[in-house]
Amino acid sequence: MAKFSKLAFNKGELNNQLSAFFADLLEKNAVDALLAPMAQPKKGVMQTLVTSKQNLSGVDPFAPVVPVNGARLASSLTSNPSGKKIGMVLRSCEVRALVELVKLKQANLEDVVLIGLDCYGRYENTDFLKLRAAGATTEDFLENAQAGKTETDGCDVAGACKICEFPTTDNVDIRLCIFGAGQGTLLIEAVTEKGEEALQTAGRKFGDSPAGRAEAVKKITDARVAAKNAAFAEYRNSTNTFDALNERLAACINCYNCRVACPVCYCKECVFVTDTFRHKGEQYIGWASGKALKMPADTTFYHMTRITHIAAFCVGCGQCTSACPNDIDLMPIFRTSAEKAQGRFEYLAGRSLDEPQPLSIFDHDELVEVTGQVK
Amino acid sequence: MAENKPIGTVLVAGAGISGIKAAIELAETGYKVLLTDSSTQVGGILAKLDYQFPSDHCGMCRMLPMVGREYSSEYCMRKSLYHENIEILPFTEVVSVAGDAGKYKVELKKRARYVNSEVCNELGKCIEACPVETADEFNHGLTTRKAIYKSVPHNVPQLLLIDKSVCTECGECVKVCSTGAINLHAQDEVETREVHAIVLASGVKLYNTKEYEDAKSYAVSPDVVTSLAFERMLSGTGTYRDGIIKRPSDGKPAKKIAWIQCMGSRNKRQNRDYCSSVCCMFALKEAVLAKEKGGDDVETTIFYMDMRTFGKGFQQYRANAEEEHGVRLVRCRVQEVVREPDGNLRIRYFDPETNEFQIAHYDIVVMSTGQIPFDDHRKWAELVNGELSPTGLLATEKYSKVRLAGKQGIFMCGSLMGLTDISEAMASGIAAAGEATSFLNAIGTDKVSFEDIAEPVTDDRQLPKAAVLLCKCGEFAGAEGIDLDMIKTEVMKHRGVGTVHVVNSICSEEGQKEALDVLKKAKCNRLLIGACQPFMYRRKVRDIAKKAGYNSSLVQIFDLLGIARRGTEEASKLAWTRRTINEIKADLESIKQKPALHVQSVPINPTALVVGGGIGGMHSALSLANRGIPVHIVEKSGELGGFAGNQIAATVDGLKPMTMAKDLKLKVFEHNKITVHLNSQVTKTEGTLGAFESKIVSSGTDQKTYLHHGAVIMATGGHEGQTDEYGYGQSDRIVTQFQFKQQLESGAIDLSAVENVVMIQCVGSREAGKREYCSRICCMWAVANALKIKEMNPDVRVYVLYRDIMTYGFLEQYYTKARAAGVIFVNYDLNSKPQVEIADGMPVMRFTENILNTEVEISPDYLVLSTGVDPETSNTELAEAFSLPLNNDGFFSEADSKWRPIEFKQIGSFLAGVSHSPMPLPDVIMQAEAAAQKAYTYLSGGSINTARVISTVKDALCIRCQRCIAACPFEARSYNAAEHRIEVDPAGCQGCGMCAVACRNNAAEVSGWSDKQMMSVIDAKLADDLQPSTAS
């Protein structure tokens, strides 16, 4: 089924090899444009859109950083389609969010060749910049991570990544595999026919299926699932009352950064900035009668609203936590509520393009025990 | 408008669904209705059913009006019913009926409930205190209740009552009742009312094990239950809990369940030579539900005689039950049920699959119990001095199922006509209302009229300022219930309140004058009114408000006396008052945040277009024209009358369609309100709600006519089906049932020379890929032709090869008669169809005789094929011209197969007769009358109002994710790709709010129900900032 093409690289040559591969894709018109993480002239690695191979020098897809969830960028590029075929290099959390956005009609994959990555996790943006400034390279990171070590100089990958049970990327056309690929090797997998066609056009030759990949993936996944279960249990124990939740959110200042960073919070204008939440003076006075009113008000309400809005779509990328200026660890709140909400509908955000989203269809027959209706 | 004409008033006796439907139709037309029920509740049998096929859901509310929603109170119908023109009198019996046509005096006995629902707080302390426990009839004795109880668990408001037959008068309830609502010495009240017409909708008694001897051999254990009792075992308000269907005897999960059909029905020896019509579908539905509610491992078996799936969609439901849900059907009459020592129920039956006797054990056996109609019919015949037919049923006028013979102004509907399914109950209720309306019209009564007061113009920039009007309801509220002075003071303090005024009685003319005066002076722009029974006075109060300059959407009415009491634990004046203040503040917040909403009045062209000039079409046209509505009939052939009116001289039950059609034609041509367009077809219809233009093309010419109309009735009919099966076309001795009937009647067949006639039923019917439905009339035609043969020459051997004989209802007697006359009925199924060969131009037949299980070869003189009924071929073009839906079989699709059988989803479009599905003539006429009534109510108003509460789209906020489109159950939302925006069809939107739920940021919002408003209400309700110091 799946076909693999081997890409061997010498130490320090990974990005050059990948750059050459992407150049082939562009030059042979397998794609018209490419969106991929690239090193920026001054500092940092950001998703970058290029249309010619001359601009591929900074290619660095495995750099352990995701400054913004790429699903949002994919939405910008495709919701009003350009008519050009775009290759997009994205990680699991980005593709899973993108799947949700496609279902919400905020993105369109018709002219997209999705290229997924195996992912050992990402650092927080500031940590990544710090490490890079100190000379750390992507290959160093991959080598250490393969040996089971992601921590460097007191910095570790994001909490969301440690408990992410989707280290490989599904629902893509092409996959860049490093798990179980062996030293100095990267495997380019054609996952779909579209992917195979693109690789053939780019002149890739297919070889044997790699031995040991499945096992390597399983090992990583199992470890992450165990970590997830432990983290969820800890979180649920510590945040099992409304007061505890309030306390967890106490530092919130209604900056709404978490909402801006969230790839599936897709409204054009959030209800919290509309008139609905422009309360009248008399209302504030009313709330303050007989008790102290912390201001800004509506902070816990805001997060709870966000839970109801995105619990069905949350893919657990953890960008909310990363975006918080006051270090509120929001990710567990959303991941645990999402697990419950999605489980309730036998849904898993990002799993498939074909499953209808919960509450998006009018279905008489769900939540029987709540509604008392049959089926 | 003439001043001295009385308002037409109708007594509807029986508040089951057909009675309710009749009452709503009459009330919507503008007549007053007294709706009585002898039981303690409204809703009849349907109040007990949580689920109905084919959707296996409720949906009772779909019988409520879909237009003009602003003026009726719409609630869950299983909870209760409110309409300003309907006076509901449960627990009331009709004791006597005196007088003549148009002037009836009815004596009504209101039975004492012993609990005054005006003051009862419904908390049920009395129920806890009551020491008497007895079987709960709502759950058929599966559960118990107290002597003081709530008769229906889900009613709103809850009307408690005392069952005096078990009450010991210990007085415990009186002691705990803090509101003094209980009077153990209350008396029944009898009052006499004058009505102009009467609709009998009382339903009929059902067969039961207590009264009828022949049930005893079945009812051997508490685990043998009736089908209605089983329904309660599937309901959360019955005994269903946690996914378990409980066996009544020991509460164990029931995993093997059997149904025995025809309990009490189809039994000539017991004088019950009729079919109860609905039990087959009821059992199929229960079997499907049992699997869904009890788990996939539940085994269900239905023992039946004939599976009578004769109605629209019934056959598909049966196929689905068998194929998708694995419901097992066994054709066998079970003679007895035996209780084994371990409590299991043993059934011995003959299995036609194996041709052997089998024994099976079940946890529950459900008896599909039918109707026992004669007592009810005799009772009504005596009361109204009506005529009884030889069968023992109330005689109706010829061709009519609803008009009582010789009794002007008295009609019947629903299960009194013989048990009916929901759609027939609806159709008959509407038809009865239609007949009553025509009658009231003819005797010159008036309708309830309303002044047409223009909606005041509002200025949205004004700050909200509310006037609060409280009705004292005489002296009652002030003296005993709540402290109006305190309310006045406290509410006055609330921000945004302009005035608070107490009137003595807002239902009196004086009170209304006072209110108008106060409101005019108050210079407010919002109005909150507290009165008793707010549902009853809505329109009147709104009219006063309009006159005083208040926009209707900014007027809110609440139940002043009930609001505090219901559910308030502490029964003190202070507690009630505080609760009332809190509720008023919440309502004030809601109304303050509300924008003025506007209703558009759309004028309607009061002309009807009837497509199809058969008997049904002509009936609809006359019914409308007689009430002053101009009608166009478009008929594609050169002759009115349709298939039945031009081809069928007589039917087995003594009707003469050709004679009837001749009479109707005469009336149609003579009527100055009816225009007939023969040889014509509608090719295109354009226009909007209430104003359509249809293009009519005459065949063979270029002549085009444009008709303008506000409503359309589809009455296109059907014709006999075609076939090439069983050698049809290869011998002149192989004929269709209709051809045979004609040859018999014309004398073309010499029966003295005939030895054998074989009839095959369901030719090309009830079979995948062919006519997948039952044509409903072929069995009767076969029985009629067979009887005719036997009458003319008893020596002819007549074989009828059938799959299920569909002689439902009282047609069963003709089937019985045919068997008595020696007609041989042989069952076959699709796996063993009869074989036909042609030898020397004559058919030679082979089939299996199922009693002796032997192969029979016969050379019949005639082979008669029942080829079913096909829909009119022009349906396809008409469906396109009118944008109306067809089902897979080519018949038109009504709005809702159960609750709205006579109308299309498209407002102003109706259907009747065979355009809906094949049906016998009396049913065609009943539907035609019902369609005319629906069209009349719609057209006679002159205009309709668009709904005020509909959903809207805020384009600036909308991200076009289209979740709202998927979520809309009425398909009222769509995506306009060209303009890249979401659109709402204001006529289709029913304001349910699903879109607002699906939408994340309020880009979809239901007008008048904003989040902001709701949050303010919640805030106000939670506040309760009334300090005890101010309260004391």
Side-chain angles (χ1 to χ4, degrees):
Chain A
M1 178 57 214
K3 292 185 175 172
F4 291 87
S5 172
K6 209 166 156 183
L7 188 103
F9 60 92
N10 295 323
K11 200 166 170 62
E13 287 296 308
L14 171 62
N15 284 337
N16 288 343
Q17 289 295 334
L18 281 167
S19 177
F21 164 57
F22 292 143
D24 284 342
L25 286 176
L26 280 170
E27 203 172 29
K28 295 180 177 152
N29 294 325
V31 296
D32 300 319
L34 183 79
L35 179 77
M38 297 186 202
Q40 300 303 297
K42 298 283 180 208
K43 64 173 181 178
V45 173
M46 301 283 265
Q47 284 283 5
T48 308
L49 182 68
V50 298
T51 53
S52 70
K53 68 173 186 175
Q54 281 75 25
N55 296 321
L56 285 170
S57 57
V59 159
D60 192 0
F62 286 97
V65 68
V66 181
V68 293
N69 188 305
R72 283 190 158 249
L73 310 174
S75 167
S76 309
L77 285 173
T78 63
S79 61
N80 279 315
S82 59
K84 299 286 179 194
K85 195 174 244 182
I86 310 177
M88 294 186 183
V89 183
L90 299 170
R91 284 162 201 257
S92 158
C93 52
E94 298 175 301
V95 172
R96 283 180 293 123
L98 180 55
V99 164
E100 292 307 301
L101 290 181
V102 169
K103 287 196 253 187
L104 291 163
K105 304 196 169 54
Q106 303 305 308
N108 186 334
L109 296 183
E110 221 162 274
D111 294 329
V112 173
V113 177
L114 274 180
I115 304 167
L117 294 179
D118 283 357
C119 179
Y120 280 112
R122 64 169 171 91
Y123 290 106
E124 296 297 358
N125 297 341
T126 45
D127 287 347
F128 174 77
L129 292 176
K130 202 169 80 186
L131 291 171
R132 273 287 150 110
T137 67
T138 299
E139 281 183 44
D140 293 341
F141 170 73
L142 291 177
E143 207 168 304
N144 287 333
Q146 243 150 3
K149 183 172 167 288
T150 50
E151 204 222 310
T152 328
D153 292 342
C155 301
D156 204 346
V157 295
C161 303
K162 287 183 189 162
I163 63 168
C164 169
E165 65 273 52
F166 306 103
T168 62
T169 308
D170 289 331
N171 292 309
V172 290
D173 302 302
I174 294 168
R175 203 158 18 211
L176 305 180
C177 312
I178 44 173
F179 296 153
Q183 200 66 41
T185 309
L186 179 119
L187 291 161
I188 304 173
E189 180 186 356
V191 185
T192 63
E193 270 174 37
K194 200 197 227 177
E196 190 181 329
E197 201 188 301
L199 291 181
Q200 262 162 359
T201 312
R204 299 300 311 180
K205 297 273 181 292
F206 296 107
D208 296 338
S209 291
R213 171 163 167 82
E215 203 181 317
V217 170
K218 186 176 183 310
K219 198 176 148 200
I220 296 169
T221 310
D222 287 350
R224 300 244 185 112
V225 169
K228 181 199 85 169
N229 291 340
F232 277 21
E234 191 282 320
Y235 170 80
R236 285 185 171 131
N237 265 330
S238 64
T239 318
N240 55 0
T241 62
F242 187 73
D243 284 341
L245 179 68
N246 241 339
E247 205 175 302
R248 189 174 262 270
L249 297 169
C252 178
I253 54 166
N254 269 3
C255 71
Y256 304 139
N257 278 2
C258 48
R259 179 196 80 204
V260 175
C262 178
V264 293
C265 226
Y266 67 101
C267 287
K268 190 151 64 177
E269 188 161 40
C270 176
V271 65
F272 274 86
V273 300
T274 65
D275 275 357
T276 303
F277 285 89
R278 281 174 70 103
H279 309 303
K280 289 186 186 138
E282 59 168 310
Q283 279 174 296
Y284 286 108
I285 299 296
W287 294 325
S289 72
K291 58 170 188 260
L293 175 71
K294 184 211 79 178
M295 290 186 81
D298 295 336
T299 49
T300 304
F301 191 18
Y302 158 74
H303 290 289
M304 290 180 71
T305 304
R306 245 173 59 74
I307 290 173
T308 64
H309 283 185
I310 66 147
F313 314 140
C314 174
V315 295
C317 70
Q319 292 287 353
C320 45
T321 293
S322 303
C324 182
N326 290 323
D327 290 337
I328 304 173
D329 189 8
L330 291 157
M331 179 275 295
I333 302 180
F334 287 94
R335 275 222 65 184
T336 49
S337 50
E339 186 191 47
K340 285 251 163 109
Q342 293 170 17
R344 198 62 198 71
F345 295 95
E346 290 167 13
Y347 184 77
L348 187 66
R351 177 167 57 193
S352 155
L353 281 162
D354 303 324
E355 289 172 87
Q357 289 168 324
L359 303 178
S360 69
I361 44 169
F362 185 73
D363 186 356
H364 278 288
D365 305 331
E366 57 196 6
L367 302 179
V368 182
E369 62 285 13
V370 183
T371 62
Q373 291 274 336
V374 187
K375 276 203 197 172
Chain B
M1 198 151 294
E3 288 298 319
N4 50 357
K5 279 205 251 174
I7 303 288
T9 307
V10 184
L11 167 71
V12 178
I17 53 164
S18 67
I20 291 177
K21 186 69 204 175
I24 291 175
E25 284 297 322
L26 285 161
E28 283 291 301
T29 314
Y31 295 111
K32 288 274 182 196
V33 180
L34 297 178
L35 179 63
T36 67
D37 200 281
S38 58
S39 80
T40 57
Q41 96 233 10
V42 300
I45 289 175
L46 262 295
K48 294 182 182 180
L49 310 188
D50 291 8
Y51 320 102
Q52 300 121 23
F53 84 91
S55 60
D56 301 334
H57 293 288
C58 184
M60 210 164 162
C61 49
R62 286 175 213 162
M63 71 200 266
L64 289 165
M66 298 297 275
V67 289
R69 287 185 287 124
E70 297 306 315
Y71 294 107
S72 57
S73 304
E74 309 228 314
Y75 294 89
C76 168
M77 293 287 296
R78 295 177 74 235
K79 292 183 172 143
S80 208
L81 164 76
Y82 306 95
H83 195 287
E84 57 192 354
N85 288 347
I86 304 176
E87 184 180 343
I88 300 174
L89 302 165
F91 220 26
T92 299
E93 266 170 81
V94 181
V95 187
S96 76
V97 179
D100 289 326
K103 270 186 235 153
Y104 291 104
K105 274 199 171 122
V106 291
E107 220 181 332
L108 303 174
K109 183 164 91 179
K110 287 193 205 167
R111 292 171 58 197
R113 304 181 72 99
Y114 307 98
V115 181
N116 180 357
S117 47
E118 309 258 295
V119 292
C120 170
N121 64 10
E122 297 171 29
L123 285 173
K125 287 247 161 88
C126 51
I127 298 175
E128 281 166 38
C130 178
V132 182
E133 202 147 310
T134 185
D136 181 359
E137 50 279 81
F138 186 76
N139 281 332
H140 292 257
L142 295 167
T143 56
T144 58
R145 62 161 169 85
K146 298 296 185 66
I148 185 163
Y149 68 109
K150 302 171 175 177
S151 60
V152 180
H154 45 252
N155 269 8
V156 177
Q158 270 293 356
L159 305 177
L160 275 69
L161 75 159
I162 294 175
D163 176 358
K164 266 307 183 72
S165 69
V166 294
C167 175
T168 58
E169 303 201 3
C170 66
E172 288 300 321
C173 55
V174 181
K175 275 186 226 161
V176 297
C177 178
S178 54
T179 65
I182 303 171
N183 173 8
L184 290 175
H185 308 291
Q187 297 291 317
D188 293 350
E189 288 167 33
V190 177
E191 66 172 313
T192 305
R193 303 285 291 263
E194 287 183 22
V195 297
H196 302 100
I198 301 174
V199 175
L200 308 179
S202 67
V204 283
K205 187 157 98 181
L206 296 179
Y207 181 76
N208 59 69
T209 52
K210 289 197 189 75
E211 284 173 77
Y212 300 95
E213 272 302 312
D214 53 327
K216 293 283 196 291
S217 61
Y218 299 94
V220 293
S221 146
D223 300 333
V224 180
V225 297
T226 64
S227 36
L228 266 185
F230 187 71
E231 202 74 28
R232 302 310 303 152
M233 297 165 70
L234 298 173
S235 170
T237 54
T239 61
Y240 181 76
R241 298 282 183 284
D242 312 320
I244 294 172
I245 300 169
K246 286 184 187 156
R247 192 159 87 160
S249 62
D250 54 10
K252 276 189 192 152
K255 290 297 173 192
K256 292 191 76 184
I257 307 172
W259 280 257
I260 303 177
Q261 296 306 102
C262 303
M263 289 298 299
S265 306
R266 300 185 69 184
N267 190 333
K268 191 168 192 301
R269 257 180 310 170
Q270 300 282 347
N271 256 332
R272 295 192 292 262
D273 190 14
Y274 52 76
C275 156
S276 290
S277 309
V278 301
C279 332
C280 284
M281 293 315 293
F282 209 94
L284 282 171
K285 179 204 75 172
E286 287 192 337
V288 168
L289 278 176
K291 293 226 170 211
E292 285 172 359
K293 299 218 80 176
D296 284 340
D297 55 339
V298 169
E299 287 175 34
T300 55
T301 307
I302 301 176
F303 295 100
Y304 72 102
M305 291 162 65
D306 291 287
M307 196 40 71
R308 292 191 167 162
T309 52
F310 55 84
K312 191 176 190 180
F314 290 12
Q315 179 63 30
Q316 287 94 320
Y317 191 85
R318 171 191 169 160
N320 195 46
E322 284 188 278
E323 287 152 25
E324 297 287 315
H325 299 276
V327 175
R328 186 172 164 232
L329 302 184
V330 179
R331 184 190 293 274
C332 170
R333 179 138 213 178
V334 173
Q335 292 305 330
E336 58 170 12
V337 178
V338 177
R339 185 178 185 276
E340 299 277 24
D342 63 0
N344 285 343
L345 301 165
R346 188 181 75 206
I347 285 179
R348 184 168 176 266
Y349 66 96
F350 184 80
D351 184 3
E353 299 263 305
T354 57
N355 267 313
E356 276 169 4
F357 278 97
Q358 304 280 355
I359 284 174
H361 288 88
Y362 296 95
D363 297 315
I364 291 178
V365 170
V366 183
M367 299 191 292
S368 287
T369 46
Q371 58 187 337
I372 302 290
F374 303 118
D375 290 352
D376 292 282
H377 281 254
R378 205 164 27 241
K379 186 193 94 185
W380 282 118
E382 278 164 24
L383 269 175
V384 304
N385 192 21
E387 198 184 307
L388 280 178
S389 72
T391 335
L393 303 172
L394 278 166
T396 53
E397 297 280 353
K398 228 173 195 179
Y399 302 105
S400 177
K401 291 178 79 170
V402 300
R403 262 203 318 250
L404 253 53
K407 296 303 296 182
Q408 281 203 352
I410 304 188
F411 313 96
M412 70 169 166
C413 62
S415 288
L416 201 57
M417 312 184 316
L419 278 184
T420 49
D421 74 329
I422 294 169
S423 74
E424 220 178 319
M426 290 297 105
S428 67
I430 302 165
E435 296 276 10
T437 307
S438 293
F439 177 75
L440 293 174
N441 205 55
I443 63 168
T445 60
D446 218 339
K447 292 180 191 172
V448 178
S449 61
F450 297 98
E451 275 179 86
D452 198 12
I453 307 159
E455 198 64 69
V457 182
T458 54
D459 181 357
D460 290 340
R461 290 164 304 179
Q462 275 180 358
L463 281 174
K465 195 172 167 200
V468 181
L469 207 57
L470 303 171
C471 176
K472 231 185 212 180
C473 206
E475 280 305 307
F476 178 73
E480 311 201 9
I482 41 182
D483 184 343
L484 286 174
D485 288 335
M486 180 174 154
I487 293 176
K488 203 172 158 177
T489 320
E490 285 300 321
V491 171
M492 225 18 232
K493 287 185 203 162
H494 196 79
R495 208 180 140 94
V497 173
T499 183
V500 183
H501 183 81
V502 178
V503 287
N504 201 28
S505 168
I506 198 150
C507 44
S508 73
E509 224 162 278
E510 208 177 306
Q512 286 165 15
K513 214 175 276 168
E514 183 185 332
L516 182 61
D517 223 35
V518 170
L519 292 179
K520 271 186 181 161
K521 281 184 198 143
K523 300 239 178 328
C524 294
N525 48 27
R526 305 283 194 279
L527 172 59
L528 185 63
I529 298 179
C532 66
Q533 304 218 27
F535 315 112
M536 304 302 293
Y537 307 120
R538 258 160 91 121
R539 189 193 288 257
K540 194 161 277 173
V541 168
R542 276 193 178 160
D543 282 353
I544 299 170
K546 269 201 271 184
K547 278 187 198 161
Y550 296 76
N551 183 285
S552 296
S553 65
L554 302 179
V555 178
Q556 200 154 311
I557 310 166
F558 69 94
D559 178 2
L560 178 61
L561 291 182
I563 201 170
R565 293 204 179 125
R566 228 157 270 143
T568 309
E569 190 115 3
E570 196 189 330
S572 70
K573 193 168 180 169
L574 180 60
W576 282 346
T577 305
R578 288 186 56 175
R579 173 81 184 265
T580 307
I581 292 169
N582 192 252
E583 294 286 337
I584 290 177
K585 286 185 177 173
D587 277 349
L588 278 169
E589 282 309 314
S590 161
I591 204 168
K592 270 162 65 182
Q593 306 272 3
K594 210 171 180 179
L597 306 173
H598 301 281
V599 166
Q600 253 182 300
S601 176
V602 181
I604 290 180
N605 179 345
T607 306
L609 170 65
V610 175
V611 182
I615 290 180
M618 288 194 286
H619 184 96
S620 290
L622 280 167
S623 174
L624 282 166
N626 287 338
R627 284 182 267 179
I629 302 287
V631 184
H632 292 279
I633 300 179
V634 177
E635 166 59 42
K636 72 173 172 183
S637 78
E639 188 81 56
L640 291 177
F643 180 67
N646 286 313
Q647 313 256 26
I648 301 176
T651 68
V652 69
D653 38 354
L655 301 178
K656 300 198 162 35
M658 280 163 73
T659 318
M660 187 204 190
K662 223 165 122 186
D663 178 50
L664 284 174
K665 273 186 237 177
L666 218 64
K667 286 182 183 158
V668 163
F669 282 119
E670 277 174 2
H671 210 295
N672 62 1
K673 291 269 183 197
I674 301 179
T675 317
V676 179
H677 308 262
L678 293 174
N679 297 312
S680 300
Q681 268 184 288
V682 182
T683 56
K684 201 173 174 187
T685 290
E686 285 177 330
T688 53
L689 205 65
F692 297 107
E693 182 185 74
S694 290
K695 183 174 162 190
I696 314 293
V697 178
S698 300
S699 56
T701 69
D702 285 343
Q703 202 191 326
K704 295 180 193 87
T705 317
Y706 291 89
L707 301 180
H708 295 92
H709 55 100
V712 62
I713 295 176
M714 285 294 167
T716 53
H719 53 78
E720 191 179 41
Q722 303 294 310
T723 189
D724 51 13
E725 277 189 277
Y726 302 115
Y728 185 80
Q730 298 171 37
S731 160
D732 58 1
R733 294 303 183 97
I734 303 178
V735 294
T736 68
Q737 200 67 254
F738 174 64
Q739 289 164 341
F740 188 68
K741 180 180 165 71
Q742 280 189 317
Q743 291 179 21
L744 266 187
E745 282 167 3
S746 66
I749 297 174
D750 176 13
L751 277 177
S752 61
V754 167
E755 281 180 33
N756 292 310
V757 174
V758 175
M759 299 179 181
I760 303 177
Q761 298 304 103
C762 295
V763 175
S765 291
R766 298 170 66 207
E767 208 177 326
K770 300 189 177 168
R771 251 168 253 108
E772 293 185 9
Y773 52 91
C774 164
S775 293
R776 199 162 174 172
I777 59 168
C778 335
C779 281
M780 271 316 295
W781 280 33
V783 166
N785 284 341
L787 279 169
K788 186 97 186 164
I789 297 170
K790 284 290 186 184
E791 185 191 308
M792 292 161 78
N793 181 2
D795 295 335
V796 178
R797 275 188 297 275
V798 184
Y799 299 86
V800 180
L801 310 185
Y802 73 100
R803 282 164 61 204
D804 293 278
I805 285 286
M806 302 285 185
T807 49
Y808 58 94
F810 296 93
L811 296 173
E812 177 75 5
Q813 54 190 320
Y814 299 104
Y815 176 41
T816 311
K817 204 168 147 192
R819 280 178 301 159
V823 177
I824 300 156
F825 287 84
V826 180
N827 183 247
Y828 78 91
D829 63 33
L830 284 177
N831 301 324
S832 60
K833 281 189 181 180
Q835 303 297 315
V836 179
E837 280 166 26
I838 314 286
D840 302 332
M842 294 288 284
V844 179
M845 306 245 355
R846 271 205 318 274
F847 56 88
T848 307
E849 204 290 315
N850 54 328
I851 293 177
L852 300 170
N853 199 27
T854 50
E855 183 110 321
V856 179
E857 191 175 297
I858 293 181
S859 302
D861 299 279
Y862 285 94
L863 172 60
V864 187
L865 305 178
S866 286
T867 53
V869 176
D870 274 346
E872 207 47 69
T873 42
S874 55
N875 281 4
T876 319
E877 294 102 74
L878 286 171
E880 197 163 315
F882 285 94
S883 303
L884 294 173
L886 288 180
N887 68 10
N888 289 338
D889 302 320
F891 296 99
F892 283 99
S893 285
E894 63 276 33
D896 182 282
S897 66
K898 302 267 91 175
W899 298 100
R900 298 168 67 199
I902 301 301
E903 63 208 279
F904 289 102
K905 279 205 178 102
Q906 288 84 337
I907 291 168
S909 307
F910 310 95
L911 74 167
V914 182
S915 63
H916 171 280
S917 63
M919 62 181 75
L921 197 51
D923 291 271
V924 170
I925 293 167
M926 186 173 83
Q927 282 210 348
E929 178 58 38
Q933 166 63 15
K934 295 284 330 171
Y936 176 71
T937 311
Y938 173 70
L939 294 174
S940 62
S943 66
I944 59 164
N945 292 331
T946 57
R948 188 174 273 135
V949 178
I950 54 170
S951 81
T952 54
V953 183
K954 292 183 198 141
D955 284 336
L957 290 179
C958 175
I959 190 94
R960 278 80 170 166
C961 70
Q962 303 178 34
R963 277 164 63 86
C964 54
I965 296 175
C968 176
F970 298 98
E971 286 165 32
R973 282 183 165 247
S974 55
Y975 173 64
N976 180 335
E979 292 181 29
H980 186 48
R981 57 194 290 267
I982 309 292
E983 289 176 344
V984 181
D985 167 13
C989 173
Q990 298 295 316
C992 72
M994 287 299 292
C995 52
V997 174
C999 183
R1000 296 300 185 227
N1001 66 341
N1002 296 346
E1005 196 171 76
V1006 178
S1007 47
W1009 295 89
S1010 69
D1011 278 4
K1012 203 172 172 60
Q1013 205 181 335
M1014 292 309 118
M1015 289 193 295
S1016 298
V1017 172
I1018 293 168
D1019 255 0
K1021 290 221 180 194
L1022 292 176
D1024 197 13
D1025 54 1
L1026 194 63
Q1027 300 304 317
S1029 57
T1030 46
S1032 56

